[in-house]
Amino acid sequence: MNALILSALSGVIMMFSGFFLKTKSAVRTLAHILLIAIIAVAVLELRGIQLVAVDTKGMMVFDHFALLFTIIATLSTLIFFVLSSKDMERVGMNYSDYFALIFFVLCGITMTASFKSMLILFLGIEILSIPLYILTGSDKRNLKSNEAALKYFLMGSFSTGLMLMGITLIYGATGTFYTTMMQLPQGQVPVLFITGLLMLLFALSFKVSAAPFHFWTPDVYDGAPTVFTSFMATVVKAAGFIGFMRLFDEAFGGIRAEWKLIVAIITVITLFIGNITAVFQQSVKRMLAYSSIAQAGFMMLAVYTLSSEAKDGLLLYAAAYSFATIGIFAVLIKMQDYTFDGFNGFAKAQPVVAASLVIFLLSLAGIPLTAGFLAKFYMLKGVVESGSLWLAIFAVLMAAISVYYYFRLIQAMYFKTGNAPVLELTSSFKYTLVGLAAATIILGLFPNVLLYWLYF
């Protein structure tokens, strides 16, 4: 709860920081300090130390799972700030406001990770989504950015309507908003409840860009300022899955037979469309957009199985996927050409950065010794243990296809000649990138560095 309160206060402070801080570097420093403070209070709460105790009436529970994900999301945001916050200056005039919006997104993420009432889930998703609509359209001079924001807002509003309708129907069937207090008649599930469940499933599938509700993703990710696409495609997507899994585990876990086949179909379509479409992209940014859909397919496996391995895997996946994608986007922002050809000869000009990119790409592809491999392994282990061997085999085949488009970027950097135009890269940027790559390897070798905190 302390992290949630501090995130909200930080958002308000950043809104007014533009008035009393004269330089952009001061605004940036303040944002970093506030984010570190949020991580510190979340860690203290994880160790059982609360600065402020608030009675949420059981509508939110800050257990180890919720707090650990909050720390992962906040840490990923801090890395995003360190690598890319300076590039936010180029988006527009309202520099401090961008930080304020991101802090409000963190509020929504914390609520989505800790809800016990569907009303809090709804509020969390909306608090998370509305700042993203604004950030998508923050480059007001760019028609593409405005179009992406409008498309995102309209599609987001539609899914919000579906979610509200689903919550209403479930409340009508059970008489409660609490996910752990729903009681159904013995031996039968009311049609009202099933209809509400399906509406929630479709609405959340939209939020995490699972197929066939993914159509907005490439256009929005491509149209939004690249610096914000990085944040949207990583931390926010992972938060959506944490909420997705929590809802289905606590509210619908007892009637898995009613929805498991539909989730399996959505998973298969998401993996297929994301991977096959990514193969044909010529822009690295659009490839990463479709790749994010494919990664969503893997994260859907956690919703499908709802096992303890899936829970471990989803947390590891959130960290591995966020670290790798934030790192790749941080470099992409510095490039003047977003196509694969724009990376030709990049390794010769920037050997350290290129080596870091290779580690991130290997992690996304699920190659051993990286965090991405173990995250995928946990997911597949859960699927196999649930008895759905066919789904695990299909996911492995799709992961094999993904190797092609990730290695295509490695090929451009190392095996093609060219003069990749790149903006100036500072030493601190390179050190941070190398540190992030090292963290990706460490999590791949010693996952308990992270997962220990879930059970200690």
Side-chain angles (χ1 to χ4, degrees), residues 100-113:
L101 290 169
I102 290 172
F103 277 110
F104 290 134
V105 171
L106 282 178
C107 287
I109 288 173
T110 310
M111 293 172 75
T112 305

Side-chain angles (χ1 to χ4, degrees), residues 342-403:
F343 280 83
N344 287 351
F346 184 77
K348 196 173 180 182
Q350 298 287 344
V352 175
V353 177
S356 302
L357 277 184
V358 169
I359 292 170
F360 298 143
L361 291 165
L362 293 179
S363 181
L364 288 178
I367 303 297
L369 302 183
T370 62
F373 167 75
L374 270 187
K376 283 185 168 65
F377 173 77
Y378 279 120
M379 296 289 185
L380 293 172
K381 186 182 174 193
V383 174
V384 171
E385 287 179 355
S386 73
S388 303
L389 185 61
W390 66 272
L391 186 55
I393 292 172
F394 183 79
V396 170
L397 286 175
M398 290 297 110
I401 291 174
S402 75
V403 171

Side-chain angles (χ1 to χ4, degrees), residues 112-125:
T112 305
S114 56
F115 74 94
K116 286 287 178 183
S117 162
M118 288 188 295
L119 290 180
I120 297 294
L121 172 65
F122 172 72
L123 284 175
I125 293 282

